[in-house]
Amino acid sequence: MTTPEKVDLVINGGILVSPDGEYRASIAVRDGRICAIGAPEAMPEASETLDASGLHVLPGAIDVHVHFRDPGYSHKEDFGSGTAAAAFGGVTTVFDMPNTIPTVANAEVLAAKHKLASEKAYVDYGLYAVLGEESLNHIDELVEGGIIGFKCYMGNTFGRIPSPSTGAMLELFELVAPTGKRISLHAETNSIMERRESRLRAAGRTEPIAHLASRPAVVAIEAVSRAAILAEWTGARIHVLHISSAAELRPLAEAKARGVDITGETCPHYLLLSENDYEKSGGIVRVNPPVREAPNREPLWNALIDGTVDMVATDHAPHAREEKTRNDIWTVDCGFPGVETQMPLMLTEINRGRASIRDYVRWSAESPAKRFGLFPRKGTLTVGSDADIAIVDMNRNWAIDDAKIQSKSKISPWHGWSCTALPIHTIVRGRFAMKNRKLNEDARGTGRSVHAIQRMPQPAPRNTDATMAAVTGKRV
């Protein structure tokens, strides 16, 4: 009789969660991947066992939208502190944005950032490249250099990345479409915002809520609609970042109904905060797009539940305290940390009956993995998948304390929020990044870059004449 090969880790007693169900089972891990799921007595001998009795075992969250500020703004955050925060938040893969110094716009800068991230990361990561006129001639080399996708800044935000003209966007979409890479959009129309902000400044408006007045929902409605038309014309795959308003849901849903390959995300601050938080938190709550009026929240929840919005992300955007507490709102840096608090906040809402924990797994893990080409390697607890696992106590009462979060930034609108769920262990490809609420320092530098492993669908442009071929040099 052949003796089963010894495995590295067996997790016993937990309740496994997928978008389709919840069930008690054990998981065996070998060489970084799940090799068996079943009854405890069926598990092979293991070098290490973990008792997860009373806990829920989830696929690690995939946060497709973080700013770890490295290189260039490392006083705010770096890849070490940012990925440590991710580990404490049950997040096993992050996608980092390109608005660092230098901006990720060519292969040389990308390679340097890959090296920096690989030396510091506790969890796996994907890197975005900027999509703008400065990267127009570098598309192929960026794809070959190993990016998870492109980021297009349709509106101005931290880092002042120039917004491409609509003509440049069309050309860029045509070039990216054949690569299969998804283009993530900061979908706010710059010209509207600049005029509104100038008028408010001229009127002497410097109070926190003036930021909301400068970026009405129409800036997002127009941008989402315009980007969807360009994606439909070119066959580009696009992703709408940080959906903040109910009004954006209509152009998103209409584009999906027309067959555009478009996805969308929202963030906890748009689901849980409102205009009242400007008075409560002042400049701390300033973020782009802004936290909006309370009536936007319910439609965003409903859109997550019905699938119009595909996933939850954080737009983790840390800053130093002095950068968030200035008296003039126009001088306050935009954004705040969120990668560590997303899972506790969202699962607290699950405990309140907002949705099911199965829905949460779909929003936080399965859908990001599928939409960005990582499924089934990531985003699921199945045999053969990476052992990316968040083990969560769904009955832990505690309060968020900014001083105790792993991020270098110790200031957020979440300070004092009561939660009823907490990640206890985070496992990345079979290795503990966080165990019993303690960071595994030996995991530093073990995070690895992720790339799409799925075969992405061929672009299906509505433009089937020769105009696209004339620009791209490729047949349509």
Coordinates of all heavy atoms in Angstrom, one line a residue, residues 146-225:
G146 N 5.2 42.5 -17.8 CA 4.4 41.9 -16.8 C 3.6 42.9 -16.0 O 3.8 43.1 -14.8
I147 N 2.6 43.4 -16.6 CA 1.6 44.3 -15.9 C 0.3 43.5 -15.7 O 0.0 42.6 -16.5 CB 1.3 45.6 -16.6 CG1 0.9 45.4 -18.0 CG2 2.6 46.5 -16.6 CD1 0.3 46.6 -18.7
I148 N -0.5 43.9 -14.7 CA -1.8 43.3 -14.5 C -2.8 44.0 -15.4 O -3.9 43.5 -15.8 CB -2.2 43.3 -13.1 CG1 -3.4 42.4 -12.8 CG2 -2.5 44.7 -12.6 CD1 -3.1 40.9 -13.1
G149 N -2.6 45.3 -15.7 CA -3.5 46.1 -16.5 C -3.0 47.5 -16.7 O -1.9 47.8 -16.2
F150 N -3.8 48.3 -17.3 CA -3.4 49.7 -17.5 C -4.4 50.6 -16.7 O -5.5 50.2 -16.5 CB -3.6 50.1 -19.0 CG -2.5 49.6 -19.9 CD1 -2.6 48.4 -20.6 CD2 -1.3 50.3 -20.0 CE1 -1.6 47.9 -21.4 CE2 -0.2 49.8 -20.8 CZ -0.4 48.6 -21.5
K151 N -3.9 51.8 -16.3 CA -4.7 52.7 -15.5 C -4.8 54.0 -16.4 O -3.7 54.6 -16.7 CB -4.1 53.0 -14.2 CG -4.7 54.2 -13.4 CD -6.1 53.9 -12.9 CE -6.6 55.1 -12.0 NZ -6.0 55.1 -10.7
C152 N -6.0 54.4 -16.7 CA -6.2 55.7 -17.4 C -6.9 56.7 -16.5 O -8.0 56.5 -16.0 CB -7.1 55.4 -18.6 SG -7.4 56.8 -19.7
Y153 N -6.2 57.8 -16.4 CA -6.7 58.9 -15.5 C -7.5 59.9 -16.4 O -6.9 60.8 -17.0 CB -5.5 59.6 -14.9 CG -4.8 58.8 -13.8 CD1 -3.8 58.0 -14.1 CD2 -5.3 58.9 -12.5 CE1 -3.2 57.2 -13.1 CE2 -4.6 58.1 -11.5 CZ -3.6 57.3 -11.8 OH -3.0 56.5 -10.9
M154 N -8.8 59.7 -16.4 CA -9.7 60.6 -17.2 C -9.8 62.0 -16.4 O -10.2 63.0 -17.0 CB -11.0 60.0 -17.4 CG -10.9 58.8 -18.3 SD -12.5 58.0 -18.5 CE -13.3 59.1 -19.7
G155 N -9.6 61.9 -15.1 CA -9.7 63.1 -14.3 C -8.5 63.3 -13.4 O -7.8 62.3 -13.0
N156 N -8.2 64.5 -12.9 CA -7.1 64.7 -12.1 C -7.3 64.3 -10.7 O -8.3 64.3 -10.1 CB -6.7 66.2 -12.2 CG -6.7 66.9 -10.9 OD1 -6.0 66.6 -10.0 ND2 -7.5 68.0 -10.8
T157 N -6.2 63.7 -10.1 CA -6.2 63.2 -8.8 C -4.8 63.3 -8.3 O -3.9 64.0 -8.9 CB -6.8 61.8 -8.7 OG1 -6.9 61.4 -7.3 CG2 -5.9 60.8 -9.4
F158 N -4.5 62.6 -7.1 CA -3.2 62.7 -6.6 C -2.1 62.3 -7.6 O -2.2 61.3 -8.2 CB -3.0 61.8 -5.3 CG -1.7 61.9 -4.6 CD1 -1.4 63.0 -3.8 CD2 -0.7 61.0 -4.9 CE1 -0.1 63.1 -3.2 CE2 0.5 61.0 -4.3 CZ 0.8 62.1 -3.5
G159 N -1.0 63.1 -7.6 CA 0.1 62.9 -8.6 C 0.0 63.7 -9.9 O 0.9 63.7 -10.6
R160 N -1.2 64.3 -10.1 CA -1.5 65.2 -11.2 C -1.1 64.5 -12.5 O -0.4 65.1 -13.4 CB -0.7 66.5 -11.1 CG -0.9 67.2 -9.7 CD -2.3 67.7 -9.5 NE -2.7 68.7 -10.4 CZ -3.8 69.4 -10.3 NH1 -4.7 69.2 -9.3 NH2 -4.2 70.3 -11.2
I161 N -1.5 63.2 -12.7 CA -1.2 62.6 -14.0 C -2.0 63.2 -15.1 O -3.2 63.4 -15.0 CB -1.5 61.1 -13.9 CG1 -0.8 60.4 -12.7 CG2 -1.2 60.3 -15.2 CD1 0.6 60.3 -12.8
P162 N -1.4 63.6 -16.2 CA -2.1 64.3 -17.2 C -3.2 63.4 -17.8 O -3.0 62.2 -18.1 CB -1.1 64.6 -18.3 CG 0.2 64.6 -17.6 CD 0.1 63.6 -16.5
S163 N -4.4 64.0 -18.0 CA -5.5 63.2 -18.6 C -5.4 63.3 -20.1 O -5.3 64.3 -20.7 CB -6.9 63.8 -18.1 OG -7.0 63.8 -16.7
P164 N -5.5 62.1 -20.7 CA -5.4 62.1 -22.2 C -6.6 62.7 -22.8 O -7.7 62.6 -22.3 CB -5.3 60.6 -22.5 CG -5.9 59.9 -21.4 CD -5.6 60.7 -20.2
S165 N -6.5 63.3 -24.0 CA -7.6 63.8 -24.7 C -8.4 62.6 -25.2 O -8.0 61.4 -25.2 CB -7.1 64.5 -26.0 OG -6.5 63.7 -26.9
T166 N -9.7 62.8 -25.6 CA -10.5 61.8 -26.1 C -9.9 61.1 -27.3 O -10.0 59.9 -27.5 CB -12.0 62.3 -26.3 OG1 -12.5 62.8 -25.1 CG2 -12.9 61.1 -26.8
G167 N -9.3 61.9 -28.1 CA -8.7 61.4 -29.3 C -7.5 60.4 -29.0 O -7.4 59.3 -29.5
A168 N -6.7 60.8 -28.0 CA -5.6 59.9 -27.5 C -6.2 58.7 -26.9 O -5.7 57.6 -27.0 CB -4.7 60.7 -26.5
M169 N -7.3 58.8 -26.1 CA -7.9 57.7 -25.5 C -8.4 56.6 -26.5 O -8.2 55.4 -26.4 CB -9.1 58.1 -24.6 CG -8.8 58.6 -23.2 SD -10.3 59.0 -22.3 CE -11.1 57.3 -22.2
L170 N -9.0 57.1 -27.6 CA -9.4 56.2 -28.6 C -8.2 55.4 -29.2 O -8.3 54.2 -29.4 CB -10.1 57.0 -29.7 CG -10.6 56.2 -31.0 CD1 -11.6 55.1 -30.6 CD2 -11.1 57.1 -32.0
E171 N -7.2 56.1 -29.5 CA -6.0 55.5 -30.0 C -5.4 54.5 -29.1 O -5.0 53.4 -29.4 CB -4.9 56.5 -30.4 CG -3.7 56.0 -31.2 CD -2.8 57.0 -31.7 OE1 -3.2 58.2 -31.7 OE2 -1.7 56.7 -32.1
L172 N -5.3 54.9 -27.8 CA -4.8 54.0 -26.7 C -5.6 52.8 -26.6 O -5.1 51.6 -26.4 CB -4.7 54.8 -25.4 CG -3.6 55.8 -25.4 CD1 -3.9 56.8 -24.3 CD2 -2.2 55.2 -25.2
F173 N -7.0 52.9 -26.6 CA -7.9 51.8 -26.5 C -7.6 50.8 -27.7 O -7.6 49.6 -27.5 CB -9.3 52.2 -26.5 CG -9.8 52.7 -25.1 CD1 -8.9 53.2 -24.2 CD2 -11.1 52.6 -24.8 CE1 -9.4 53.7 -22.9 CE2 -11.6 53.1 -23.5 CZ -10.7 53.6 -22.6
E174 N -7.5 51.4 -28.8 CA -7.2 50.5 -30.0 C -5.9 49.7 -29.9 O -5.9 48.6 -30.3 CB -7.1 51.4 -31.3 CG -8.5 52.0 -31.7 CD -8.3 53.1 -32.8 OE1 -7.3 53.7 -32.9 OE2 -9.3 53.3 -33.5
L175 N -4.9 50.3 -29.3 CA -3.6 49.6 -29.1 C -3.7 48.6 -28.1 O -3.1 47.5 -28.2 CB -2.6 50.7 -28.8 CG -2.2 51.6 -29.9 CD1 -1.3 52.8 -29.4 CD2 -1.5 50.9 -31.1
V176 N -4.4 48.8 -27.0 CA -4.5 47.9 -25.9 C -5.4 46.7 -26.1 O -5.2 45.6 -25.7 CB -4.9 48.6 -24.5 CG1 -5.1 47.6 -23.4 CG2 -3.8 49.6 -24.1
A177 N -6.5 47.0 -26.9 CA -7.5 46.0 -27.1 C -7.0 44.6 -27.5 O -7.3 43.6 -26.9 CB -8.6 46.4 -28.1
P178 N -6.1 44.5 -28.4 CA -5.6 43.2 -28.9 C -4.8 42.5 -27.8 O -4.6 41.2 -27.9 CB -4.7 43.5 -30.1 CG -5.2 44.8 -30.6 CD -5.6 45.6 -29.3
T179 N -4.3 43.2 -26.8 CA -3.5 42.5 -25.8 C -4.3 41.8 -24.7 O -3.8 41.0 -24.0 CB -2.6 43.6 -25.0 OG1 -3.4 44.4 -24.1 CG2 -1.9 44.5 -26.0
G180 N -5.6 42.1 -24.7 CA -6.5 41.5 -23.7 C -6.4 42.1 -22.3 O -7.2 41.8 -21.4
K181 N -5.5 43.1 -22.1 CA -5.3 43.7 -20.8 C -6.5 44.6 -20.5 O -7.0 45.3 -21.4 CB -4.0 44.5 -20.7 CG -2.8 43.7 -20.7 CD -2.7 42.8 -19.5 CE -1.4 42.0 -19.5 NZ -1.4 41.0 -18.4
R182 N -7.0 44.6 -19.3 CA -8.1 45.5 -18.9 C -7.6 46.9 -18.6 O -6.5 47.0 -17.9 CB -8.9 44.9 -17.7 CG -10.3 45.5 -17.5 CD -11.1 44.7 -16.5 NE -11.6 43.4 -17.0 CZ -12.6 43.3 -17.7 NH1 -13.3 44.3 -18.1 NH2 -13.0 42.1 -18.1
I183 N -8.3 47.9 -19.0 CA -8.0 49.3 -18.7 C -8.9 49.7 -17.5 O -10.1 49.8 -17.7 CB -8.2 50.1 -19.9 CG1 -7.4 49.6 -21.1 CG2 -7.9 51.6 -19.6 CD1 -7.8 50.2 -22.5
S184 N -8.2 50.1 -16.4 CA -9.0 50.6 -15.3 C -9.0 52.1 -15.4 O -8.0 52.7 -15.6 CB -8.3 50.1 -14.0 OG -8.4 48.7 -13.8
L185 N -10.2 52.6 -15.1 CA -10.5 54.0 -15.4 C -10.8 54.8 -14.2 O -11.6 54.5 -13.4 CB -11.7 54.2 -16.3 CG -11.6 53.4 -17.7 CD1 -13.0 53.3 -18.2 CD2 -10.7 54.2 -18.6
H186 N -10.0 55.9 -14.0 CA -10.5 56.9 -13.0 C -11.4 57.8 -13.8 O -11.1 58.7 -14.6 CB -9.3 57.8 -12.5 CG -9.7 58.8 -11.5 ND1 -9.3 58.7 -10.2 CD2 -10.6 59.8 -11.6 CE1 -9.8 59.7 -9.5 NE2 -10.6 60.4 -10.3
A187 N -12.7 57.5 -13.7 CA -13.7 58.0 -14.6 C -14.4 59.3 -14.1 O -15.5 59.2 -13.5 CB -14.8 56.9 -14.9
E188 N -13.7 60.4 -14.2 CA -14.2 61.7 -13.9 C -13.7 62.6 -15.0 O -12.6 62.6 -15.4 CB -13.7 62.2 -12.5 CG -14.2 61.4 -11.3 CD -13.7 62.1 -10.0 OE1 -12.5 62.1 -9.7 OE2 -14.6 62.6 -9.3
T189 N -14.6 63.5 -15.4 CA -14.3 64.4 -16.5 C -13.6 65.6 -16.0 O -14.1 66.4 -15.3 CB -15.5 64.8 -17.3 OG1 -16.1 63.6 -17.9 CG2 -15.2 65.7 -18.5
N190 N -12.3 65.8 -16.4 CA -11.4 66.8 -15.9 C -11.9 68.2 -16.1 O -11.9 69.0 -15.2 CB -10.0 66.6 -16.4 CG -9.0 67.1 -15.4 OD1 -9.0 66.7 -14.3 ND2 -8.1 67.9 -15.9
S191 N -12.4 68.5 -17.3 CA -12.7 69.9 -17.6 C -13.9 70.4 -16.7 O -13.9 71.6 -16.3 CB -13.1 70.0 -19.1 OG -14.2 69.2 -19.4
I192 N -14.8 69.5 -16.4 CA -16.0 69.9 -15.5 C -15.4 70.2 -14.1 O -15.7 71.3 -13.5 CB -17.0 68.9 -15.5 CG1 -17.6 68.6 -16.8 CG2 -18.1 69.3 -14.5 CD1 -18.6 67.4 -16.9
M193 N -14.6 69.4 -13.6 CA -14.1 69.5 -12.2 C -13.2 70.8 -12.1 O -13.3 71.5 -11.1 CB -13.3 68.3 -11.8 CG -14.1 67.0 -11.8 SD -13.2 65.6 -11.1 CE -11.9 65.4 -12.3
E194 N -12.4 71.0 -13.1 CA -11.5 72.2 -13.0 C -12.3 73.5 -13.0 O -12.0 74.4 -12.2 CB -10.5 72.2 -14.2 CG -9.4 71.1 -14.0 CD -8.4 71.2 -15.1 OE1 -8.6 71.9 -16.1 OE2 -7.3 70.6 -14.9
R195 N -13.4 73.6 -13.8 CA -14.2 74.8 -13.8 C -14.9 74.9 -12.5 O -15.0 76.0 -11.9 CB -15.2 74.7 -15.0 CG -14.5 74.9 -16.3 CD -15.6 74.9 -17.4 NE -16.5 76.0 -17.4 CZ -16.2 77.2 -18.0 NH1 -15.1 77.4 -18.7 NH2 -17.0 78.2 -17.9
R196 N -15.5 73.8 -12.0 CA -16.2 73.9 -10.7 C -15.3 74.3 -9.6 O -15.7 75.2 -8.7 CB -16.9 72.6 -10.4 CG -18.1 72.2 -11.3 CD -19.2 73.1 -11.1 NE -20.3 72.8 -12.0 CZ -21.5 72.2 -11.6 NH1 -21.6 71.9 -10.3 NH2 -22.5 72.0 -12.4
E197 N -14.2 73.7 -9.5 CA -13.2 74.0 -8.4 C -12.8 75.5 -8.5 O -12.7 76.2 -7.5 CB -12.0 73.1 -8.4 CG -11.1 73.3 -7.3 CD -9.9 72.4 -7.3 OE1 -10.1 71.2 -7.6 OE2 -8.8 72.8 -6.9
S198 N -12.5 76.0 -9.7 CA -12.1 77.4 -9.8 C -13.1 78.3 -9.3 O -12.8 79.3 -8.7 CB -11.7 77.7 -11.3 OG -10.6 76.9 -11.7
R199 N -14.4 78.0 -9.7 CA -15.5 78.9 -9.2 C -15.6 78.9 -7.7 O -15.9 79.9 -7.1 CB -16.8 78.5 -9.9 CG -16.8 78.8 -11.4 CD -18.1 78.2 -12.0 NE -19.3 78.8 -11.5 CZ -20.5 78.3 -11.7 NH1 -20.6 77.2 -12.5 NH2 -21.6 78.9 -11.2
L200 N -15.5 77.7 -7.1 CA -15.6 77.6 -5.7 C -14.5 78.3 -4.9 O -14.7 78.9 -3.9 CB -15.7 76.1 -5.3 CG -16.9 75.4 -5.6 CD1 -16.7 73.8 -5.6 CD2 -18.1 75.7 -4.7
R201 N -13.3 78.1 -5.5 CA -12.1 78.8 -4.9 C -12.3 80.3 -5.0 O -12.0 81.1 -4.0 CB -10.8 78.4 -5.6 CG -10.3 77.0 -5.3 CD -9.1 76.8 -6.2 NE -8.4 75.5 -5.9 CZ -7.3 75.4 -5.1 NH1 -6.8 76.5 -4.5 NH2 -6.8 74.2 -4.9
A202 N -12.8 80.8 -6.1 CA -13.0 82.2 -6.3 C -14.0 82.8 -5.3 O -14.0 84.0 -4.9 CB -13.4 82.5 -7.7
A203 N -15.0 81.9 -4.9 CA -16.0 82.3 -4.0 C -15.6 82.2 -2.5 O -16.3 82.5 -1.6 CB -17.3 81.5 -4.2
G204 N -14.3 81.8 -2.3 CA -13.8 81.7 -1.0 C -14.2 80.4 -0.2 O -14.1 80.3 1.0
R205 N -14.7 79.4 -1.0 CA -15.2 78.2 -0.4 C -13.9 77.3 -0.1 O -13.3 76.8 -1.0 CB -16.1 77.4 -1.3 CG -17.4 78.1 -1.6 CD -18.4 78.0 -0.4 NE -18.7 76.6 -0.1 CZ -19.6 75.8 -0.8 NH1 -20.3 76.3 -1.8 NH2 -19.8 74.6 -0.4
T206 N -13.6 77.1 1.2 CA -12.5 76.2 1.6 C -12.9 75.1 2.6 O -12.0 74.4 3.0 CB -11.4 77.1 2.2 OG1 -11.9 77.7 3.4 CG2 -10.8 78.1 1.3
E207 N -14.2 75.1 2.9 CA -14.6 74.1 3.9 C -14.7 72.7 3.2 O -14.8 72.5 2.0 CB -16.0 74.4 4.5 CG -17.2 74.2 3.6 CD -17.4 75.3 2.5 OE1 -16.5 76.1 2.2 OE2 -18.5 75.3 1.9
P208 N -14.6 71.6 4.0 CA -14.5 70.2 3.5 C -15.5 69.9 2.4 O -15.2 69.3 1.4 CB -14.6 69.3 4.7 CG -14.0 70.2 5.8 CD -14.4 71.6 5.5
I209 N -16.8 70.2 2.7 CA -17.8 69.8 1.7 C -17.8 70.5 0.4 O -18.4 70.0 -0.6 CB -19.2 69.9 2.4 CG1 -20.2 68.9 1.7 CG2 -19.7 71.4 2.3 CD1 -21.5 68.7 2.5
A210 N -16.9 71.5 0.3 CA -16.8 72.2 -1.0 C -16.1 71.2 -2.0 O -16.3 71.3 -3.2 CB -15.9 73.4 -0.9
H211 N -15.4 70.2 -1.5 CA -14.8 69.2 -2.4 C -15.9 68.4 -3.1 O -15.8 68.1 -4.3 CB -13.9 68.3 -1.6 CG -13.3 67.1 -2.3 ND1 -12.5 67.3 -3.4 CD2 -13.5 65.8 -2.2 CE1 -12.2 66.1 -3.9 NE2 -12.8 65.2 -3.2
L212 N -16.9 68.1 -2.4 CA -18.1 67.3 -3.0 C -18.7 68.2 -4.0 O -19.1 67.8 -5.1 CB -19.1 66.9 -1.9 CG -20.4 66.3 -2.4 CD1 -20.2 65.1 -3.2 CD2 -21.3 66.0 -1.2
A213 N -18.9 69.5 -3.7 CA -19.5 70.4 -4.7 C -18.7 70.6 -6.0 O -19.3 70.8 -7.0 CB -19.7 71.8 -4.0
S214 N -17.4 70.4 -5.9 CA -16.5 70.5 -7.1 C -16.6 69.3 -8.0 O -16.1 69.4 -9.1 CB -15.1 70.8 -6.6 OG -14.5 69.6 -6.1
R215 N -17.1 68.2 -7.5 CA -17.1 67.0 -8.3 C -18.5 66.3 -8.3 O -18.7 65.3 -7.8 CB -16.0 66.0 -7.8 CG -14.6 66.6 -7.9 CD -13.6 65.7 -7.1 NE -12.8 65.0 -8.0 CZ -11.5 65.2 -8.3 NH1 -10.9 66.3 -7.8 NH2 -10.8 64.4 -9.1
P216 N -19.5 67.0 -8.9 CA -20.8 66.4 -8.9 C -20.8 65.1 -9.7 O -19.9 64.8 -10.5 CB -21.7 67.5 -9.6 CG -20.7 68.2 -10.5 CD -19.4 68.2 -9.7
A217 N -21.9 64.3 -9.5 CA -21.9 63.0 -10.1 C -21.9 63.0 -11.6 O -21.4 62.0 -12.2 CB -23.2 62.3 -9.6
V218 N -22.3 64.1 -12.2 CA -22.2 64.2 -13.7 C -20.8 64.0 -14.2 O -20.7 63.5 -15.3 CB -22.8 65.5 -14.2 CG1 -22.0 66.7 -13.8 CG2 -23.1 65.5 -15.7
V219 N -19.8 64.3 -13.5 CA -18.4 64.1 -14.0 C -18.2 62.6 -14.2 O -17.4 62.3 -15.1 CB -17.4 64.7 -13.0 CG1 -17.6 66.2 -12.8 CG2 -17.2 64.0 -11.7
A220 N -18.7 61.8 -13.4 CA -18.6 60.4 -13.5 C -19.5 59.8 -14.6 O -19.1 58.9 -15.4 CB -18.8 59.7 -12.2
I221 N -20.7 60.3 -14.6 CA -21.7 59.8 -15.6 C -21.2 60.0 -17.0 O -21.2 59.1 -17.8 CB -23.1 60.5 -15.4 CG1 -23.6 60.3 -14.0 CG2 -24.1 60.0 -16.5 CD1 -24.8 61.2 -13.7
E222 N -20.7 61.2 -17.2 CA -20.2 61.6 -18.6 C -18.9 60.7 -18.9 O -18.8 60.2 -20.0 CB -19.8 63.0 -18.6 CG -19.6 63.6 -20.1 CD -18.2 63.3 -20.6 OE1 -17.3 63.0 -19.9 OE2 -18.1 63.3 -21.9
A223 N -18.0 60.5 -17.9 CA -16.8 59.8 -18.2 C -17.1 58.3 -18.4 O -16.5 57.7 -19.3 CB -15.8 60.0 -17.0
V224 N -17.9 57.7 -17.6 CA -18.3 56.3 -17.8 C -18.9 56.1 -19.2 O -18.6 55.2 -19.9 CB -19.2 55.8 -16.7 CG1 -19.7 54.4 -17.0 CG2 -18.4 55.8 -15.4
S225 N -19.8 57.0 -19.5 CA -20.5 56.9 -20.8 C -19.5 57.0 -22.0 O -19.6 56.2 -22.9 CB -21.6 57.9 -21.0 OG -22.5 57.8 -19.9

